[in-house]
Amino acid sequence: MKYLLAVLAVIVLSVSSACAFDFEALTDDTRVFAKNPDVKVSMARFHNRYGIDLVGHIYLPKDFDANKKYAALAVSGPFGAVKEQSSGLYAQEMARRGYVTLAFDPSFTGESGGVGNSRNLGSPEINTEDFSAAVDYLSVQDFVDPEKIGIIGICGWGGFALNVAAMDTRIKATLVSTMYDLTRMAANGYFDSEDSPDTRYTKKQMMNAQRTQDYMNGTFARAGGVIDPLPEDAPQFVKDYHAYYKTPRGYHARSVNSNEGWNTTSFLPFIVMPILKHADEIRSAVLVIHGENAHSRYFSEDAFKLLKGDNKKLMIIPGASHVDLYDNFEKIPFNDIDEFFKTYLK
């Protein structure tokens, strides 16, 4: 009997320690936004179901008590950004308001891994899975209430957030901020100006030819980073991107958008794999916010039309541009965001 009890004690200890949180301070803190000394931040390491190792920053509220159960939020985006940029800012602010938050680098970007030596890749399926993997990680933390988990998707990750909310029933509330539907843009171009089978076929021809060339070269051609220097006739939204990604305000050495862009062939699956196909089946709460003056506003407005139920809300922020909702505290409606999550994560 003593032997049996000893074995059981070892098993219980092993299970509990598997979910224990080991605080790992940031040794190279390269966050581009102002740090809040009241919010403690630790490295977080987890994996998705493809075995890709993901890296994030987990933010803990002031006076954090490991014996309590907190509501938690997984945060990512914009597409081509890293956790030290906009997602970290959102995570830090929501942690200041009492949530445990996790800002993470998606697969193939930032400090997260990939498959082999592949880097700077986007994938509608894998990036959706990354959000669920973040929910996996939060769900097993002893200080997180697994029934009170929400997500925040910024820019291109707003689309992935809606996609995972349609799939992952553990997610109780979703914030979509300054959203892009990347699959619609890849297939149809901005404002659907390239929405024709012939135009899509031409795109696919070009990218598949590049696939062959990449395989021969053993490297990937890249495109899509923010243009620098800016041409005089650049559209305003391109100037706004430059003002964030290419200046001290938001530049980061690991950010795809701050540097040479994505692998060109990444966008092939985006053309044929629409991510909002089942957005109308999302039963959990959704808050969609977008800037009044954003070039991308139509993505959020059209996505919102797909949503059903009285737990969905669209907010258009007066005077805000697309990039304002990356880091402008005067434009990001954090009080409304806080109230939304307090309502649906209770």
Side-chain angles (χ1 to χ4, degrees), residues 113-162:
V115 179
N117 296 320
S118 296
R119 302 296 301 161
N120 310 305
L121 289 169
S123 163
E125 209 282 345
I126 294 176
N127 293 148
T128 299
E129 159 62 20
D130 287 340
F131 248 136
S132 278
V135 174
D136 292 341
Y137 174 81
L138 289 172
S139 295
V140 301
Q141 302 307 314
D142 292 336
F143 49 84
V144 169
D145 185 336
E147 297 300 317
K148 297 180 180 179
I149 294 178
I151 61 173
I152 297 176
I154 307 163
C155 188
W157 276 78
F160 296 134
L162 289 181

Side-chain angles (χ1 to χ4, degrees), residues 220-238:
F220 292 96
R222 294 174 64 180
V226 175
I227 188 170
D228 187 41
L230 276 171
E232 291 184 6
D233 60 347
Q236 184 58 47
F237 75 91
V238 175

Side-chain angles (χ1 to χ4, degrees), residues 114-298:
V115 179
N117 296 320
S118 296
R119 302 296 301 161
N120 310 305
L121 289 169
S123 163
E125 209 282 345
I126 294 176
N127 293 148
T128 299
E129 159 62 20
D130 287 340
F131 248 136
S132 278
V135 174
D136 292 341
Y137 174 81
L138 289 172
S139 295
V140 301
Q141 302 307 314
D142 292 336
F143 49 84
V144 169
D145 185 336
E147 297 300 317
K148 297 180 180 179
I149 294 178
I151 61 173
I152 297 176
I154 307 163
C155 188
W157 276 78
F160 296 134
L162 289 181
N163 199 34
V164 74
M167 177 184 75
D168 195 329
T169 58
R170 298 171 300 173
I171 296 167
K172 300 303 188 291
T174 298
L175 170 67
V176 175
S177 178
T178 196
M179 175 196 146
Y180 261 55
D181 175 354
L182 289 166
T183 55
R184 177 179 177 180
M185 189 184 73
N188 300 347
Y190 277 114
F191 306 104
D192 301 323
S193 61
E194 301 171 356
D195 184 11
S196 77
D198 287 343
T199 302
R200 280 188 285 276
Y201 187 76
T202 299
K203 290 180 184 178
K204 289 183 281 189
Q205 279 185 309
M206 293 173 61
M207 280 187 265
N208 281 301
Q210 187 63 54
R211 280 192 65 146
T212 303
Q213 194 65 44
D214 288 348
Y215 195 86
M216 291 172 59
N217 295 339
T219 59
F220 292 96
R222 294 174 64 180
V226 175
I227 188 170
D228 187 41
L230 276 171
E232 291 184 6
D233 60 347
Q236 184 58 47
F237 75 91
V238 175
K239 294 177 181 178
D240 291 343
Y241 282 139
H242 188 279
Y244 183 78
Y245 286 109
K246 289 293 190 177
T247 72
R249 171 185 168 192
Y251 177 83
H252 197 280
R254 288 191 290 269
S255 167
V256 176
N257 289 343
S258 287
N259 297 288
E260 297 176 16
W262 296 92
N263 291 350
T264 304
T265 56
S266 285
F267 294 96
L268 267 170
F270 286 83
I271 295 175
V272 296
M273 297 180 185
I275 55 176
L276 301 186
K277 177 73 173 176
H278 297 288
D280 62 329
E281 297 180 9
I282 299 173
R283 298 188 183 186
S284 55
V286 178
L287 173 61
V288 180
I289 64 173
H290 218 107
E292 177 188 21
N293 299 330
H295 69 286
S296 51
R297 174 176 164 179
Y298 72 102

